[in-house]
Amino acid sequence: MEALMRDNDARTKTWEKLISDYEQKAGILSKELEDTKNEFNELETKKANLAEKYGDTNVDEDDLIQINVGGRAITASRGTLTHHKGTMLEALFSGRWDKRIQRDGFGHIFLDVNPVCFQRMINYLSMQKKSSEERMSQFFHTDRELQLILHHTMTYFGIEPPFSFPEPSTTNVTRNVFGWSSAAYAQVTQLPQNMFSNKAIWETMTFDEFPSNLKKNMSQEQKSLRSAKEDIEKVKKNLEKEEDFIRHVNAQSLHDIINFDVRGTLMTAKRSTLRVFKGSQLDRLFDDAVWLQQHTNTLSIKEWSHEQVADWAKRHDGISDEVADLFDKNQVNGLELLALGREDLKEMGISRLGMLALVIKAIKDLQTKNQNRPIFIDHDPYCFGKILDQLRLKVMSKEGYKPLAWSDIKESKQEAFEKSVDYYFPGELSELIVKKKPMVDSRNISSAAPNKDYQSILIKFYEKYNPSKLGSVQNTLKKYQVSSDYFCLHSTLRYPVQISSVYAY
């Protein structure tokens, strides 16, 4: 009987110890959960206050947002644009900063980035919500010419590119407005285990003494708690950086958004982007003293007070005094006037169909008038677009910027590109945009490789440097009447190889 009582006593003590350990460790986890919820709620309150002060609190993931991206109109849902939480793209379109985001004359958000690359990034985010990683990698295939600028654009907005650029030794290291590289940005959440030094006990405690199911549940809660705290820390860091990023992407005023008519193709850029290389023709053309003097005398419609809006409506032949009084009563300023749509006007009290149509037409006329008249550029759109992309890369990459190689330019456009670069970046300034062409010593070309089989050379050459050209070998041979002189010259101008390498095949 004594042995039985001892065993019963041991069981009771073991059970009491187990309960005590559970209550202690469960209490620690519960305390950390409560602290985490409080931190989360404080952050949500801070974001709501930012939206109240600088943005719009009434936003929805289904909102369709019209964006002027480098002169091209792109529409995307807010849910797609904010899919990657904690990124600068998410911050930009979260609604928190809507009142501070620069808009063009039509009231659309303006972004000075390559429009093709921005559209591909949006397509990627949209597909990412619906597709597997395997399908995503297949979907995101892009041509080499766009890969570099696409990589930089995604990194700039804090989106980790789903591909590695094929030439890392020559790739610019893009750093976003934080000064982080894309890899560093992606590692923001990889925080040290002892970051919360006063709470290290909850991170290091184990649950080996508990039954397997309970151990599994508590370990998973611990893991989720750690992940939640890391996410909160990331959001805290990003909130500190968001305002700088918003300031960075914005133009200073509507007059700093420059529209170009490039032989019929509309392109748009910030004046600060055009002036990023000092001493260039673009820098001189858009210099503060010259440009601002031409535009300070005209008051932008976006800057109208509500009194000026009401006065405009009263003087407009097609708008009744009753509508003008409604604008005055609701204190509609110029920026708000340009953003008003049909439903907004109906809600304001303009219900008669004919008058509603006249007011909408008058506002559209104002929007057109408010757009800066495009500057005509008599250059090839491909060439001028390439120059704009390099200026944008300089802004995004900062000290990591590198000029183009001639192999980055389409062969059929190289002559026109050289002329455009020389026009806007004369002399040595041209090397800011594209690397200097390699000098070829004609005295050494003819003797480089006599009696060679140029068809075999060209096939092997393209296999290594440009496989897409393998199907046009015969046409190339006929078109250029390839000889040792021409083949060596042509190859060294287009590809980063030495003359001796051409004939090593």
Side-chain angles (χ1 to χ4, degrees), residues 352-394:
R352 193 164 65 83
L353 189 60
M355 180 55 63
L356 188 61
L358 287 173
V359 174
I360 289 173
K361 183 180 183 302
I363 292 175
K364 285 186 176 179
D365 290 342
L366 275 183
Q367 290 173 337
T368 301
K369 182 180 178 181
N370 199 51
Q371 280 286 90
N372 292 332
R373 181 174 297 177
I375 298 171
F376 180 69
I377 300 294
D378 194 14
H379 289 263
D380 186 292
Y382 171 88
C383 300
F384 192 75
K386 274 285 187 183
I387 291 174
L388 285 185
D389 281 343
Q390 286 305 108
L391 301 180
R392 290 164 178 156
L393 271 179
K394 174 60 178 175

Side-chain angles (χ1 to χ4, degrees), residues 438-449 483-490 492-493 499 503:
M439 299 298 294
V440 179
D441 189 347
S442 59
R443 295 173 299 177
N444 297 329
I445 292 178
S446 298
S447 59
S483 64
S484 60
D485 288 5
Y486 184 84
F487 180 70
C488 187
L489 177 62
H490 177 69
T492 52
L493 287 179
I499 292 176
Y503 292 102

Side-chain angles (χ1 to χ4, degrees), residues 53-115:
K53 184 176 181 180
Y54 299 118
D56 185 358
T57 57
N58 187 28
V59 298
D60 189 272
E61 284 199 349
D62 293 329
D63 293 341
L64 293 181
I65 301 177
Q66 293 180 306
I67 316 167
N68 177 349
V69 185
R72 179 181 299 183
I74 292 177
T75 303
S77 71
R78 192 183 299 274
T80 296
L81 293 164
T82 60
H83 179 61
H84 275 220
K85 305 304 179 185
T87 65
M88 290 301 101
L89 186 69
E90 185 264 339
L92 187 63
F93 294 101
S94 64
R96 291 192 291 274
W97 304 98
D98 277 13
K99 294 176 185 176
R100 300 190 65 178
I101 296 175
Q102 181 62 56
R103 298 172 187 269
D104 64 14
F106 291 105
H108 301 157
I109 292 173
F110 173 71
L111 296 177
D112 191 10
V113 297
N114 180 290

